[in-house]
Amino acid sequence: MGIVIYVIGEDTLNFYEALNVLSKSSKYSVSTLRMSSDIDEFQRLKDHLYVESEIQEDVAEQLKKIAAGDKEIICLCGSSGDGKSEILTKLYGAHKEEVIFHLDATHSNSQHKSAVECLNDRFVEYKKNEKPLVIGINIGMLQKFIKQGCDTHSEIKNAIERYFNNRKKKGFSFGGVSFYDFECYPRISFSKEVITSDFIKSFLNKLTEKSDENPFYNLYLSDKKAGGMISKNFDVLSLPGFQDKLIELFGLARLLDEQFLIPRVFVDFIFQILTKQNDDGIVGNVFSDFDNAFSKCFQKMDPVKLHNKAIDDFYLQYATNSFEEDGLKLKDKLNLLTGHKLSSKGIIRASLMFKNYSEDVFIYDLEEEDIIKKALKYYLKLIAIYEKDELNSADENACLDIIEGLIVNSVLIYSNRMLNERSEGFIVSRSHESYSICNKINVQADLDSIEKHKLISYDKISIPLILNNDCSLVIDIDINTIIQCIKISQGYRPNRQNLESVAKLDEMVRRFVEKTKSADSLRLLKGKRTILIDKHRNRYRVEG
């Protein structure tokens, strides 16, 4: 790659150095309070990319209220790297005279005091003057302050405890303390059966906009003129279809691995896939192993790990250079789009990443046997149904197919996996000597309750069930549960090495069994012999 130099003001930058403001190792990855004279060219590059959020708007609105005379504490709560200090830095300029700002209450600002002691001092200062206090603080630090904070601040500790009991409420307020939690403002949406993100779209559009108003644009042009690798990746990242597929991957990372879209981690990932050397360019980097939490998640979704006939046929044609006309067109178009002569794995990955860009670059059904893709489809469908005020017949049928046909049926298959033959309508409850004792079970989706139920978060979906006509039960499922159910329905039997998934299945089985203890019918199974026991009033009828 040639070295491309571009001059901005008195500073000399190349494209890589400019993009380095995105790196988590950059000093610009963490914001600090600064005066206008402190703003250099790198800070201007970062400021150009800033995306204002709903949580910032709500905090700003609350600041206007308390700045008018009400004395209050505002806590901006979240996790490391989610943008607390960035938001407060933006608000500092407008309110620094009438409000006290404490950007990072998670860490100590004194070498002789702990973070808790520093926070104690800040609250003492707050009580002595008439100014409101705004602090950025991690969830873990709030929990720590409840236990270790000074008892003279018991009213604040009590407010924090109340907040933890009401974390799903936006702008929860108690006892003069308001809490704005990033978890109440998700940066990824899973509504309407599609994964979207206004935050990611806005950021990527700001970064890749081909306009003189974008300070990265002229650096991009210089790199492109010199035949630079980064500008090729930049071109790919600017394509809406590629961005949409990236957003889907970020959404899957959220559902599969509980990897939240933390801005510092996200922008570092974008920096890495743009700048790392890779023979397949950005499409290779997306699924590469590097020091970033999203990298670890995306590797699980790498399409080259799929095994189906379409992929096997492609590898054979690539190795023997025996592509037919459509295959040659596909390869040539993907090479042109990426600016690289792609390897076989690169073509597979690019074909998936450009699926939303053009149909003629996705002639191979890469997702034909992709269990994750199937599970996502089911999960998004359930979310869409739960977000409706009223269900139609199509929604009800979808519920029955997913809940009864897939989830419940798979749990029963798993619970009865040790039987020599399937026992429809019964669940193994216990073993006695050489007999397996099975309780009668009939499970139905409670459609009336589903229609009334509202999702609190996308992490899990509560499924209300009706057992044996009069026993109600609510089970919580996530996308990983659906993945296990799909595998079971296809003949896979979970083993003890996958402890987390087995634990969830075991818990569902335990609850099913608990709810069927008073069933009127039992089966005793021993090999191929079956004994039926039916209870009628105070009598039992035994057959077999």
Side-chain angles (χ1 to χ4, degrees):
M1 180 186 76
I3 297 178
V4 180
I5 304 296
Y6 186 74
V7 178
I8 300 182
E10 298 178 357
D11 294 319
T12 301
L13 296 175
N14 63 43
F15 200 17
Y16 176 89
E17 290 169 338
L19 290 169
N20 195 57
V21 298
L22 307 178
S23 171
K24 65 183 178 184
S25 62
S26 167
K27 70 175 184 178
Y28 297 92
S29 65
V30 180
S31 293
T32 56
L33 293 182
R34 58 184 184 270
M35 305 304 292
S36 58
S37 59
D38 296 327
I39 300 177
D40 59 17
E41 300 302 339
F42 287 100
Q43 186 62 52
R44 287 191 177 92
L45 288 168
K46 182 182 177 184
D47 287 344
H48 169 74
L49 298 173
Y50 185 72
V51 178
E52 189 168 317
S53 58
E54 183 186 354
I55 191 171
Q56 178 178 336
E57 293 173 358
D58 286 356
V59 173
E61 189 64 31
Q62 187 66 12
L63 269 175
K64 290 179 183 177
K65 294 178 181 178
I66 63 175
D70 295 331
K71 189 177 179 184
E72 183 178 299
I73 299 172
I74 294 179
C75 293
L76 185 58
C77 320
S79 55
S80 178
D82 58 14
K84 296 183 296 297
S85 59
E86 190 69 39
I87 288 175
L88 296 186
T89 299
K90 298 289 183 185
L91 298 173
Y92 173 77
H95 300 283
K96 60 185 177 182
E97 299 299 330
E98 67 271 16
V99 177
I100 300 171
F101 282 83
H102 188 40
L103 261 65
D104 191 0
T106 302
H107 300 97
S108 172
N109 55 11
S110 170
Q111 60 179 337
H112 303 296
K113 292 183 178 181
S114 68
V116 171
E117 290 172 330
C118 289
L119 195 53
N120 279 327
D121 292 344
R122 187 61 78 180
F123 288 141
V124 170
E125 178 187 355
Y126 161 75
K127 292 176 180 179
K128 286 181 179 179
N129 62 51
E130 297 303 317
K131 292 184 178 181
L133 171 65
V134 180
I135 63 175
I137 189 166
N138 284 4
I139 300 299
M141 185 60 191
L142 284 171
Q143 295 170 326
K144 193 173 184 179
F145 190 79
I146 292 174
K147 297 177 182 178
Q148 300 179 15
C150 184
D151 289 339
T152 57
H153 304 311
S154 59
E155 76 286 2
I156 297 175
K157 293 164 72 172
N158 185 38
I160 296 172
E161 287 182 334
R162 291 293 188 100
Y163 150 72
F164 278 115
N165 292 327
N166 295 272
R167 277 199 69 185
K168 300 302 180 182
K169 294 182 180 178
K170 282 186 178 180
F172 174 76
S173 182
F174 181 84
V177 186
S178 294
F179 301 87
Y180 291 86
D181 191 332
F182 279 89
E183 281 201 22
C184 295
Y185 299 83
R187 294 186 175 95
I188 300 180
S189 171
F190 300 90
S191 299
K192 299 180 181 178
E193 298 184 58
V194 65
I195 300 175
T196 58
S197 173
D198 291 338
F199 169 79
I200 295 177
K201 270 291 185 184
S202 296
F203 178 88
L204 294 180
N205 287 339
K206 281 175 174 282
L207 175 62
T208 62
E209 181 186 11
K210 293 178 179 177
S211 163
D212 289 333
E213 295 180 2
N214 178 6
F216 291 92
Y217 179 58
N218 285 321
L219 294 169
Y220 152 80
L221 289 177
S222 297
D223 189 83
K224 190 177 183 69
K225 184 177 180 180
M229 172 270 296
I230 299 177
S231 56
K232 294 179 182 179
N233 292 339
F234 204 73
D235 282 330
V236 175
L237 188 62
S238 70
L239 298 174
F242 186 86
Q243 293 178 5
D244 290 341
K245 200 63 184 180
L246 264 184
I247 289 171
E248 182 180 301
L249 293 176
F250 283 115
L252 276 168
R254 173 75 177 86
L255 296 177
L256 290 169
D257 295 322
E258 298 183 358
Q259 179 58 52
F260 286 83
L261 190 69
I262 299 171
R264 190 185 303 165
V265 182
F266 162 71
V267 299
D268 176 74
F269 181 84
I270 298 301
F271 168 73
Q272 302 250 32
I273 63 174
L274 278 173
T275 61
K276 277 192 171 296
Q277 290 281 357
N278 192 303
D279 291 341
D280 290 326
I282 193 171
V283 295
N285 283 333
V286 167
F287 299 102
S288 291
D289 181 16
F290 50 82
D291 183 22
N292 184 282
F294 285 116
S295 173
K296 313 304 178 188
C297 299
F298 285 14
Q299 287 181 77
K300 300 178 183 178
M301 297 170 263
D302 190 346
V304 303
K305 293 182 178 180
L306 297 175
H307 296 286
N308 59 38
K309 186 177 184 301
I311 292 178
D312 291 342
D313 288 346
F314 167 78
Y315 281 133
L316 179 61
Q317 291 169 15
Y318 187 94
T320 59
N321 196 24
S322 57
F323 284 114
E324 296 181 357
E325 184 178 353
D326 285 346
L328 288 172
K329 287 182 179 178
L330 170 79
K331 184 176 71 168
D332 292 343
K333 186 159 188 175
L334 289 175
N335 286 343
L336 183 64
L337 280 170
T338 61
H340 290 78
K341 186 178 180 180
L342 297 171
S343 67
S344 57
K345 291 182 178 180
I347 293 176
I348 293 292
R349 289 164 173 158
S351 183
L352 178 69
M353 294 303 297
F354 286 106
K355 178 182 179 182
N356 297 329
Y357 177 78
S358 173
E359 290 184 1
D360 60 357
V361 297
F362 193 76
I363 63 172
Y364 304 114
D365 193 357
L366 299 180
E367 298 167 315
E368 179 184 359
E369 298 176 23
D370 188 351
I371 291 177
I372 292 177
K373 187 69 177 179
K374 290 180 181 178
L376 177 63
K377 180 181 178 181
Y378 291 142
Y379 200 75
L380 292 179
K381 184 65 178 179
L382 286 177
I383 288 175
I385 289 172
Y386 272 65
E387 290 183 335
K388 286 189 173 184
D389 294 326
E390 186 176 346
L391 304 186
N392 56 36
S393 59
D395 297 327
E396 292 179 353
N397 287 333
C399 274
L400 297 179
D401 289 341
I402 299 171
I403 296 172
E404 295 181 13
L406 176 63
I407 298 173
V408 171
N409 190 49
S410 295
V411 171
L412 293 179
I413 291 173
Y414 172 74
S415 68
N416 297 345
R417 64 193 180 280
M418 301 305 292
L419 299 180
N420 291 330
E421 56 186 54
R422 294 188 64 173
S423 186
E424 297 287 347
F426 287 82
I427 183 171
V428 175
S429 60
R430 56 199 180 279
S431 297
H432 180 70
E433 295 181 352
S434 57
Y435 284 92
S436 293
I437 302 173
C438 306
N439 301 345
K440 183 176 179 55
I441 184 169
N442 178 272
V443 187
Q444 296 175 310
D446 189 344
L447 297 177
D448 291 336
S449 295
I450 289 173
E451 192 171 44
K452 298 173 184 176
H453 189 87
K454 298 300 178 185
L455 285 180
I456 297 176
S457 75
Y458 296 126
D459 297 339
K460 61 183 180 181
I461 301 176
S462 296
I463 307 291
L465 302 171
I466 298 173
L467 272 75
N468 293 353
N469 297 323
D470 59 355
C471 293
S472 61
L473 175 67
V474 177
I475 59 173
D476 292 329
I477 63 105
D478 55 21
I479 193 170
N480 288 302
T481 306
I482 293 183
I483 288 173
Q484 289 300 318
C485 289
I486 293 174
K487 289 180 178 180
I488 290 171
S489 70
Q490 295 178 351
Y492 168 77
R493 296 297 175 262
N495 56 52
R496 295 292 157 180
Q497 292 179 343
N498 195 342
L499 293 177
E500 186 176 353
S501 61
V502 169
K504 290 179 181 179
L505 292 171
D506 285 341
E507 174 61 16
M508 281 192 275
V509 169
R510 185 194 67 77
R511 298 185 69 192
F512 278 16
V513 170
E514 183 69 25
K515 286 289 187 179
T516 59
K517 280 185 175 179
S518 58
D520 291 336
S521 297
L522 298 176
R523 279 186 180 179
L524 276 62
L525 304 178
K526 181 180 181 181
K528 292 187 177 182
R529 185 185 180 191
T530 301
I531 299 175
L532 303 178
I533 303 176
D534 290 323
K535 180 181 178 182
H536 183 67
R537 295 185 179 178
N538 295 324
R539 297 186 178 188
Y540 291 88
R541 180 166 58 89
V542 180
E543 295 181 6

